[in-house]
Amino acid sequence: DLQVQDVEQNNVRVENAASAEIFGLEVDGAYLVTENVQIDVAFTYLNAEFTDFSSEDPKRPERGEQDLSGNVLPKAPEFTFAIGAEVGVPIDDRGIFTIRGDLSYQSKIFFSSFEDPLLEQDAFAWLKMRGTYVPNKGNWQLAIFADNLTNKTVVTNAIYTGDIVGSRAAGNLAPPFTWGVEVAVTF
């Protein structure tokens, strides 16, 4: 019951893929180094591929029916990895300031069952940081954060547009380097 979609002329084509095989391994854990220092990690291995699927690429019909068996399922990275660390620094009896950093990695993914190089995202790493002050008294907290510190351009989805607009590759991007300040009040 696996379905895939492509754009054919100006219509979205949904097609049943005959069969696929998915297996993998996921491991995660956290370690409290001291009362105020924590390290956490997560690792995923994923093998997700079509085992019996043939289709015609609507953007390249001249190639005829193609055997896609062995192709990776769309949006299925082979590896993902994340590591994070958090340090809490008590500030006398006034509160605690917590600093957190996270680094994640994702291997290449395709957005098309045809493994089209225009519809893929190469492997990338993502780095973010956050500092939060929480007072012992009061109902508020203050945080400063930065996301995508390396300002990496990351495609989160990609498709071909309809032929009426020239059948271009289009998609969505993850936010660029972003920073900000947050104030939270609890009622």
Side-chain angles (χ1 to χ4, degrees), residues 8-63:
E8 183 173 17
Q9 295 177 346
N10 293 315
N11 301 306
V12 174
R13 178 182 82 179
V14 178
E15 184 176 16
N16 288 323
S19 64
E21 184 177 83
I22 302 168
F23 65 89
L25 171 72
E26 184 172 323
V27 178
D28 61 61
Y31 179 64
L32 195 56
V33 178
T34 69
E35 183 179 335
N36 296 322
V37 178
Q38 176 180 310
I39 297 173
D40 45 85
V41 296
F43 170 80
T44 302
Y45 166 74
L46 180 64
N47 184 312
E49 60 184 39
F50 295 107
T51 55
D52 181 22
F53 180 38
S54 295
S55 184
E56 183 178 290
D57 186 344
K59 296 302 171 193
R60 295 169 189 81
E62 69 279 0
R63 294 182 180 175

Side-chain angles (χ1 to χ4, degrees), residues 111-128:
F111 298 104
S112 164
S113 52
F114 295 94
E115 295 187 354
D116 188 323
L118 291 177
L119 303 179
E120 73 178 33
Q121 170 57 57
D122 287 331
F124 69 92
W126 193 273
L127 180 62
K128 59 184 176 179

Side-chain angles (χ1 to χ4, degrees), residues 83-95:
I83 185 166
E86 187 171 298
V87 178
V89 181
I91 303 172
D92 299 325
D93 62 347
R94 290 179 277 172

Side-chain angles (χ1 to χ4, degrees), residues 136-157:
N136 288 338
K137 297 178 183 174
N139 59 347
W140 63 276
Q141 58 181 283
L142 176 67
I144 184 168
F145 65 89
D147 202 354
N148 192 2
L149 282 162
T150 60
N151 202 29
K152 176 74 176 160
T153 300
V154 174
V155 178
T156 59
N157 191 36

